[in-house]
Coordinates of all heavy atoms in Angstrom, one line a residue:
M3 N 89.7 106.2 118.1 CA 91.1 105.9 118.2 C 91.9 106.7 117.2 O 91.3 107.0 116.1 CB 91.3 104.4 118.0 CG 90.6 103.5 119.1 SD 91.0 101.8 118.8 CE 92.0 101.5 120.2
D4 N 93.2 106.9 117.4 CA 94.0 107.6 116.4 C 94.4 106.6 115.3 O 94.3 105.4 115.5 CB 95.2 108.3 117.1 CG 96.1 107.3 117.7 OD1 97.0 106.7 117.0 OD2 96.0 107.0 118.9
V5 N 94.8 107.1 114.2 CA 95.1 106.3 113.0 C 96.3 105.3 113.3 O 96.2 104.2 112.9 CB 95.5 107.3 111.9 CG1 96.0 106.5 110.7 CG2 94.3 108.1 111.5
A6 N 97.3 105.8 114.0 CA 98.4 104.9 114.3 C 98.0 103.7 115.2 O 98.4 102.6 114.9 CB 99.5 105.7 115.1
T7 N 97.1 103.9 116.1 CA 96.7 102.8 117.0 C 95.8 101.8 116.1 O 96.0 100.6 116.3 CB 95.9 103.3 118.2 OG1 96.7 104.2 118.9 CG2 95.4 102.2 119.1
L8 N 94.9 102.4 115.3 CA 94.1 101.5 114.4 C 95.0 100.7 113.5 O 94.8 99.5 113.3 CB 93.1 102.3 113.6 CG 91.9 102.9 114.4 CD1 91.2 104.0 113.6 CD2 91.0 101.8 114.9
A9 N 96.0 101.3 112.9 CA 96.9 100.6 112.0 C 97.7 99.5 112.8 O 97.8 98.4 112.3 CB 97.9 101.5 111.4
E10 N 98.1 99.8 114.0 CA 98.9 98.8 114.8 C 98.0 97.6 115.2 O 98.4 96.5 115.1 CB 99.4 99.5 116.1 CG 100.3 98.6 116.9 CD 100.8 99.3 118.1 OE1 101.3 100.5 117.9 OE2 100.8 98.8 119.2
L11 N 96.7 97.9 115.6 CA 95.8 96.8 115.9 C 95.5 95.9 114.7 O 95.4 94.7 114.8 CB 94.5 97.4 116.5 CG 94.5 98.0 117.9 CD1 93.2 98.7 118.2 CD2 94.8 96.9 118.9
T12 N 95.4 96.5 113.6 CA 95.1 95.8 112.3 C 96.3 94.9 112.0 O 96.2 93.8 111.6 CB 94.8 96.8 111.2 OG1 93.7 97.5 111.6 CG2 94.4 96.0 109.9
E13 N 97.5 95.5 112.1 CA 98.7 94.7 111.7 C 98.9 93.5 112.7 O 99.3 92.4 112.3 CB 99.9 95.6 111.7 CG 100.0 96.4 110.5 CD 101.4 96.7 110.0 OE1 102.4 96.5 110.7 OE2 101.4 97.2 108.8
Q14 N 98.5 93.7 113.9 CA 98.6 92.6 114.9 C 97.7 91.4 114.5 O 98.0 90.3 114.7 CB 98.2 93.0 116.3 CG 99.3 93.9 116.9 CD 98.8 94.5 118.3 OE1 97.7 94.2 118.7 NE2 99.6 95.4 118.8
R15 N 96.5 91.8 113.9 CA 95.5 90.7 113.5 C 96.0 89.9 112.3 O 95.7 88.8 112.1 CB 94.2 91.4 113.1 CG 93.4 91.9 114.3 CD 92.1 92.4 113.9 NE 91.3 92.8 115.0 CZ 91.1 94.1 115.4 NH1 91.7 95.1 114.7 NH2 90.5 94.4 116.5
I16 N 96.8 90.6 111.4 CA 97.1 89.9 110.1 C 98.6 89.5 110.1 O 99.0 88.9 109.1 CB 96.8 90.8 108.9 CG1 97.5 92.1 108.9 CG2 95.3 91.0 108.8 CD1 97.3 93.0 107.7
A17 N 99.4 89.9 111.1 CA 100.8 89.5 111.1 C 101.0 88.0 111.3 O 100.1 87.4 111.9 CB 101.5 90.3 112.3
P18 N 102.0 87.4 110.8 CA 103.1 88.0 110.0 C 102.8 88.0 108.5 O 103.7 88.3 107.7 CB 104.3 87.1 110.3 CG 103.6 85.8 110.5 CD 102.3 86.0 111.1
H19 N 101.6 87.7 108.1 CA 101.3 87.5 106.7 C 100.9 88.8 105.9 O 100.9 88.7 104.7 CB 100.2 86.5 106.5 CG 100.5 85.2 107.2 ND1 101.5 84.3 106.8 CD2 100.0 84.6 108.3 CE1 101.6 83.3 107.7 NE2 100.6 83.5 108.6
G20 N 100.6 89.8 106.6 CA 100.1 91.0 105.9 C 100.6 92.3 106.5 O 101.2 92.3 107.6
Q21 N 100.3 93.4 105.8 CA 100.7 94.7 106.3 C 99.6 95.7 106.0 O 98.8 95.5 105.0 CB 102.0 95.2 105.7 CG 101.9 95.3 104.2 CD 103.3 95.6 103.5 OE1 104.3 95.3 104.1 NE2 103.2 96.2 102.3
V22 N 99.5 96.8 106.7 CA 98.5 97.8 106.5 C 99.1 98.8 105.5 O 100.2 99.3 105.7 CB 98.2 98.5 107.8 CG1 97.3 99.7 107.6 CG2 97.5 97.6 108.8
D23 N 98.4 99.1 104.5 CA 98.8 100.1 103.4 C 98.1 101.5 103.6 O 98.7 102.5 103.3 CB 98.5 99.6 102.0 CG 99.2 98.3 101.7 OD1 100.3 98.1 102.1 OD2 98.6 97.4 101.1
A24 N 96.9 101.5 104.1 CA 96.2 102.7 104.3 C 95.1 102.6 105.3 O 94.5 101.5 105.5 CB 95.5 103.1 103.0
I25 N 94.7 103.7 106.0 CA 93.6 103.7 106.9 C 92.7 104.9 106.4 O 93.2 106.0 106.3 CB 94.1 104.0 108.4 CG1 95.0 102.9 108.9 CG2 92.9 104.2 109.3 CD1 94.3 101.6 109.3
L26 N 91.5 104.6 106.2 CA 90.5 105.6 105.7 C 89.5 105.8 106.9 O 88.7 104.9 107.1 CB 89.8 105.2 104.5 CG 90.7 104.9 103.3 CD1 90.0 104.3 102.1 CD2 91.4 106.2 102.8
L27 N 89.5 106.9 107.6 CA 88.6 107.1 108.7 C 87.2 107.3 108.2 O 87.0 108.1 107.3 CB 89.1 108.3 109.5 CG 90.5 108.1 110.2 CD1 90.9 109.4 110.8 CD2 90.5 107.0 111.1
E28 N 86.3 106.7 108.8 CA 84.9 106.8 108.5 C 84.6 106.7 107.0 O 83.8 107.4 106.5 CB 84.3 108.1 109.1 CG 84.4 108.1 110.6 CD 83.7 109.3 111.3 OE1 82.8 109.8 110.7 OE2 84.1 109.6 112.4
A29 N 85.2 105.7 106.4 CA 85.0 105.5 105.0 C 83.7 104.7 104.7 O 83.2 104.9 103.6 CB 86.2 104.6 104.4
N30 N 83.2 104.0 105.6 CA 82.0 103.2 105.3 C 80.9 103.4 106.4 O 80.9 102.7 107.4 CB 82.3 101.7 105.3 CG 83.0 101.2 104.1 OD1 82.5 101.6 103.0 ND2 84.0 100.4 104.2
Q31 N 80.1 104.4 106.2 CA 79.0 104.7 107.1 C 79.4 104.8 108.5 O 78.8 104.1 109.4 CB 77.9 103.7 106.9 CG 77.3 103.7 105.5 CD 76.4 102.6 105.2 OE1 76.2 101.7 106.0 NE2 75.7 102.6 104.1
G32 N 80.5 105.5 108.8 CA 80.9 105.6 110.2 C 82.0 104.6 110.6 O 82.5 104.7 111.7
A33 N 82.3 103.7 109.8 CA 83.3 102.7 110.1 C 84.6 103.1 109.5 O 84.7 103.9 108.6 CB 82.9 101.3 109.6
T34 N 85.7 102.6 109.9 CA 87.0 102.8 109.4 C 87.5 101.7 108.5 O 87.2 100.5 108.9 CB 88.0 103.0 110.6 OG1 87.7 104.2 111.3 CG2 89.4 103.2 110.1
L35 N 88.1 102.0 107.4 CA 88.5 101.0 106.4 C 90.0 100.9 106.5 O 90.7 101.9 106.3 CB 88.0 101.3 105.1 CG 88.4 100.4 103.9 CD1 87.6 99.1 104.1 CD2 88.1 101.1 102.6
A36 N 90.6 99.7 106.7 CA 92.0 99.5 106.6 C 92.3 98.8 105.3 O 91.8 97.7 105.1 CB 92.5 98.7 107.8
G37 N 93.1 99.3 104.4 CA 93.6 98.7 103.2 C 94.8 97.9 103.6 O 95.8 98.4 104.1
V38 N 94.8 96.6 103.2 CA 95.9 95.7 103.6 C 96.4 95.0 102.4 O 95.7 94.8 101.4 CB 95.5 94.7 104.7 CG1 95.1 95.4 106.0 CG2 94.4 93.8 104.3
S39 N 97.7 94.5 102.5 CA 98.2 93.6 101.4 C 99.1 92.5 102.1 O 99.5 92.7 103.2 CB 99.1 94.5 100.4 OG 100.1 95.1 101.1
A40 N 99.3 91.5 101.3 CA 100.1 90.4 101.8 C 101.6 90.7 101.7 O 102.1 91.5 100.9 CB 99.9 89.1 100.9
C41 N 102.3 90.2 102.7 CA 103.8 90.4 102.7 C 104.4 89.4 101.8 O 103.8 88.4 101.4 CB 104.3 90.1 104.2 SG 103.8 91.4 105.3
L42 N 105.7 89.6 101.5 CA 106.4 88.6 100.6 C 106.8 87.4 101.5 O 107.1 87.5 102.6 CB 107.7 89.3 100.1 CG 107.5 90.5 99.2 CD1 108.8 91.1 98.8 CD2 106.6 90.2 98.0
D43 N 106.7 86.2 100.8 CA 107.1 85.0 101.5 C 108.6 84.7 101.4 O 109.3 85.6 100.9 CB 106.2 83.8 101.0 CG 106.4 83.5 99.6 OD1 107.4 83.9 99.0 OD2 105.6 82.8 99.0
E44 N 109.0 83.6 101.8 CA 110.4 83.2 101.8 C 111.0 83.2 100.4 O 112.2 83.5 100.2 CB 110.7 81.8 102.3 CG 110.0 81.5 103.7 CD 108.5 81.1 103.5 OE1 108.1 80.4 102.6 OE2 107.7 81.6 104.3
T45 N 110.2 83.0 99.4 CA 110.7 83.0 98.0 C 110.7 84.4 97.3 O 111.0 84.5 96.2 CB 109.8 82.0 97.1 OG1 108.5 82.6 97.0 CG2 109.8 80.6 97.7
G46 N 110.2 85.4 98.1 CA 110.1 86.7 97.5 C 108.8 87.0 96.8 O 108.7 88.1 96.2
Q47 N 107.9 86.1 96.8 CA 106.6 86.2 96.1 C 105.6 86.7 97.1 O 105.6 86.4 98.3 CB 106.1 84.9 95.5 CG 107.1 84.3 94.5 CD 107.2 85.3 93.3 OE1 106.2 85.8 92.8 NE2 108.5 85.5 92.9
P48 N 104.6 87.5 96.7 CA 103.6 88.0 97.6 C 102.7 86.8 98.0 O 102.4 85.9 97.2 CB 102.7 89.0 96.8 CG 103.1 88.8 95.4 CD 104.5 88.1 95.3
G49 N 102.3 86.8 99.3 CA 101.5 85.7 99.8 C 100.0 86.0 99.5 O 99.7 86.9 98.7
E50 N 99.1 85.2 100.0 CA 97.7 85.3 99.8 C 97.0 85.5 101.1 O 97.0 84.6 101.9 CB 97.2 84.1 99.0 CG 95.7 84.1 98.7 CD 95.4 84.9 97.5 OE1 96.3 85.0 96.6 OE2 94.3 85.3 97.4
L51 N 96.3 86.6 101.3 CA 95.5 86.9 102.5 C 94.1 86.4 102.3 O 93.4 86.0 103.2 CB 95.5 88.3 102.8 CG 96.8 88.9 103.4 CD1 96.6 90.4 103.7 CD2 97.1 88.2 104.7
G52 N 93.5 86.6 101.1 CA 92.1 86.2 100.8 C 91.2 87.5 101.0 O 90.0 87.4 100.8
F53 N 91.8 88.6 101.4 CA 91.1 89.8 101.5 C 92.0 91.0 101.4 O 93.3 90.8 101.5 CB 90.4 89.9 102.9 CG 91.3 89.7 104.1 CD1 91.9 90.9 104.7 CD2 91.7 88.5 104.5 CE1 92.8 90.7 105.7 CE2 92.6 88.3 105.6 CZ 93.1 89.5 106.2
D54 N 91.5 92.2 101.1 CA 92.4 93.3 101.0 C 91.9 94.5 101.8 O 92.5 95.6 101.7 CB 92.7 93.7 99.6 CG 91.5 94.1 98.7 OD1 90.4 94.2 99.3 OD2 91.7 94.4 97.5
Q55 N 90.8 94.3 102.5 CA 90.2 95.4 103.3 C 89.7 94.8 104.6 O 89.1 93.7 104.6 CB 89.1 96.1 102.6 CG 89.5 96.8 101.4 CD 88.3 97.4 100.6 OE1 87.1 97.0 100.8 NE2 88.6 98.4 99.8
I56 N 89.9 95.5 105.7 CA 89.4 95.2 107.0 C 88.6 96.4 107.5 O 89.1 97.5 107.4 CB 90.4 94.8 108.0 CG1 91.2 93.6 107.6 CG2 89.8 94.6 109.4 CD1 92.3 93.2 108.5
I57 N 87.3 96.2 107.9 CA 86.5 97.2 108.3 C 86.5 97.2 109.9 O 86.3 96.2 110.5 CB 85.0 97.1 107.8 CG1 85.1 97.1 106.3 CG2 84.1 98.2 108.3 CD1 83.9 96.6 105.6
L58 N 86.7 98.4 110.5 CA 86.9 98.5 111.9 C 85.9 99.5 112.5 O 85.5 100.5 111.9 CB 88.3 99.0 112.2 CG 89.5 98.2 111.6 CD1 90.8 99.0 111.7 CD2 89.6 96.9 112.3
D59 N 85.6 99.3 113.8 CA 84.9 100.3 114.6 C 85.9 101.3 114.9 O 86.9 101.0 115.6 CB 84.3 99.6 115.8 CG 83.5 100.6 116.7 OD1 84.1 101.7 117.0 OD2 82.4 100.4 117.0
P60 N 85.7 102.6 114.5 CA 86.7 103.6 114.8 C 86.9 104.0 116.2 O 87.9 104.6 116.6 CB 86.2 104.8 114.0 CG 84.8 104.6 113.9 CD 84.5 103.2 113.9
Y61 N 86.0 103.6 117.1 CA 86.1 104.0 118.5 C 86.7 102.9 119.4 O 87.4 103.2 120.3 CB 84.7 104.3 119.1 CG 84.1 105.5 118.3 CD1 83.1 105.2 117.4 CD2 84.5 106.8 118.5 CE1 82.5 106.2 116.6 CE2 83.9 107.8 117.7 CZ 82.9 107.5 116.8 OH 82.4 108.6 116.1
T62 N 86.5 101.6 119.0 CA 87.0 100.5 119.8 C 88.1 99.8 119.1 O 88.9 99.0 119.7 CB 85.9 99.5 120.1 OG1 85.5 98.9 118.9 CG2 84.8 100.2 120.8
G63 N 88.2 99.9 117.8 CA 89.2 99.1 117.0 C 88.7 97.7 116.7 O 89.4 96.9 116.1
E64 N 87.5 97.4 117.1 CA 87.0 96.0 116.9 C 86.8 95.8 115.4 O 86.4 96.6 114.6 CB 85.6 95.9 117.5 CG 84.9 94.6 117.3 CD 83.5 94.6 117.8 OE1 83.0 95.6 118.3 OE2 82.8 93.5 117.6
E65 N 87.2 94.6 115.0 CA 87.1 94.2 113.6 C 85.6 93.8 113.3 O 85.0 93.0 113.9 CB 88.0 93.0 113.3 CG 87.9 92.5 111.8 CD 88.9 91.4 111.6 OE1 90.0 91.3 112.1 OE2 88.5 90.5 110.7
L66 N 85.1 94.5 112.2 CA 83.7 94.3 111.9 C 83.5 93.3 110.7 O 82.6 92.6 110.6 CB 83.0 95.6 111.6 CG 83.0 96.7 112.7 CD1 82.5 98.0 112.2 CD2 82.3 96.1 113.9
A67 N 84.5 93.4 109.8 CA 84.4 92.5 108.6 C 85.7 92.5 107.8 O 86.6 93.4 108.0 CB 83.3 93.0 107.6
R68 N 85.9 91.5 107.0 CA 87.0 91.4 106.0 C 86.4 91.2 104.7 O 85.4 90.5 104.5 CB 87.9 90.3 106.4 CG 88.7 90.4 107.6 CD 89.6 89.2 107.9 NE 90.2 89.4 109.2 CZ 91.3 88.7 109.5 NH1 91.8 87.8 108.7 NH2 91.9 89.0 110.7
R69 N 87.0 91.9 103.7 CA 86.5 91.7 102.3 C 87.6 91.9 101.3 O 88.6 92.5 101.5 CB 85.3 92.6 102.0 CG 85.7 94.1 102.0 CD 84.5 94.9 101.8 NE 84.9 96.3 101.7 CZ 84.0 97.3 101.6 NH1 82.7 97.1 101.7 NH2 84.4 98.5 101.5
Q70 N 87.3 91.4 100.1 CA 88.2 91.6 98.9 C 87.4 92.6 98.1 O 86.3 92.4 97.7 CB 88.4 90.3 98.2 CG 89.2 90.4 97.0 CD 90.7 90.6 97.3 OE1 91.2 90.1 98.3 NE2 91.4 91.3 96.5
F71 N 88.0 93.7 97.8 CA 87.4 94.8 97.1 C 86.9 94.3 95.7 O 87.6 93.6 95.0 CB 88.4 96.0 96.8 CG 87.8 97.1 96.0 CD1 86.9 98.0 96.6 CD2 88.0 97.2 94.7 CE1 86.3 99.0 95.9 CE2 87.5 98.2 94.0 CZ 86.6 99.1 94.6
G72 N 85.6 94.5 95.5 CA 85.0 94.1 94.2 C 84.6 92.7 94.0 O 84.1 92.3 93.0
A73 N 84.8 91.9 95.1 CA 84.5 90.4 95.0 C 83.0 90.2 95.3 O 82.7 90.2 96.5 CB 85.4 89.6 95.9
I74 N 82.2 90.2 94.3 CA 80.8 90.0 94.5 C 80.5 88.6 95.2 O 79.5 88.5 95.9 CB 80.0 90.1 93.2 CG1 80.3 91.4 92.6 CG2 78.5 89.9 93.4 CD1 79.9 92.6 93.4
S75 N 81.4 87.7 95.0 CA 81.2 86.4 95.6 C 81.2 86.4 97.2 O 80.7 85.5 97.8 CB 82.3 85.4 95.2 OG 83.6 85.9 95.6
D76 N 81.7 87.5 97.7 CA 81.7 87.7 99.2 C 80.3 88.0 99.7 O 80.1 88.1 100.9 CB 82.6 88.8 99.6 CG 84.1 88.5 99.5 OD1 84.4 87.3 99.4 OD2 84.9 89.3 99.6
G77 N 79.3 88.3 98.8 CA 78.0 88.6 99.3 C 77.8 90.0 99.7 O 78.4 90.9 99.3
M78 N 76.9 90.2 100.7 CA 76.5 91.5 101.1 C 77.6 92.3 101.8 O 77.5 93.5 101.9 CB 75.3 91.4 102.1 CG 74.0 90.9 101.4 SD 73.5 92.0 100.0 CE 73.1 93.5 100.8
T79 N 78.6 91.6 102.2 CA 79.7 92.3 102.9 C 80.3 93.4 102.0 O 80.8 94.4 102.4 CB 80.8 91.3 103.3 OG1 80.9 91.3 104.7 CG2 82.1 91.5 102.7
N80 N 80.3 93.2 100.6 CA 80.8 94.2 99.7 C 79.8 95.3 99.4 O 80.1 96.2 98.6 CB 81.3 93.6 98.4 CG 82.7 93.1 98.6 OD1 83.6 93.7 99.3 ND2 83.0 91.9 98.0
F81 N 78.7 95.3 100.0 CA 77.7 96.3 99.8 C 77.5 97.2 101.0 O 76.5 97.9 101.1 CB 76.3 95.7 99.3 CG 76.4 95.1 98.0 CD1 76.4 93.7 97.9 CD2 76.5 95.9 96.9 CE1 76.5 93.1 96.6 CE2 76.6 95.3 95.6 CZ 76.6 93.9 95.5
M82 N 78.5 97.1 101.9 CA 78.4 98.0 103.2 C 78.4 99.4 102.8 O 79.1 99.9 102.0 CB 79.5 97.7 104.1 CG 79.2 96.4 104.9 SD 80.5 96.1 106.1 CE 80.2 97.4 107.3

């Protein structure tokens, strides 16, 4: 899939609470990594997603995992 389509699919999954900041093609052993961040809430403060990366299949756009970069408490997901 092209980058724009992958970004659009990712935003649909996290909307209205998050936005896509970056798409890294084949960043994780053939998977695509979407860097995401929380949108501002009604008070103007950033919300909380609980993750900042979504790992996608680059051919189908299927979500493979969500993780918080560097959070060892997530277990093996951060060792992909």
Side-chain angles (χ1 to χ4, degrees):
M3 299 182 107
D4 63 85
V5 174
T7 302
L8 287 168
E10 185 176 314
L11 287 172
T12 302
E13 285 212 345
Q14 289 172 4
R15 287 184 177 104
I16 60 174
H19 307 292
Q21 64 187 22
V22 173
D23 298 324
I25 299 284
L26 303 171
L27 298 174
E28 297 189 24
N30 282 315
Q31 301 173 351
T34 294
L35 180 72
V38 299
S39 62
C41 293
L42 300 179
D43 64 16
E44 312 79 44
T45 66
Q47 298 299 314
E50 179 80 26
L51 287 176
F53 58 93
D54 62 3
Q55 298 177 339
I56 297 180
I57 300 166
L58 307 165
D59 180 305
Y61 301 104
T62 66
E64 176 188 359
E65 183 178 323
L66 302 175
R68 292 180 181 198
R69 67 183 183 187
Q70 182 71 32
F71 180 77
I74 302 301
S75 62
D76 286 347
M78 292 304 291
T79 242
N80 275 322
F81 293 108
M82 280 184 73

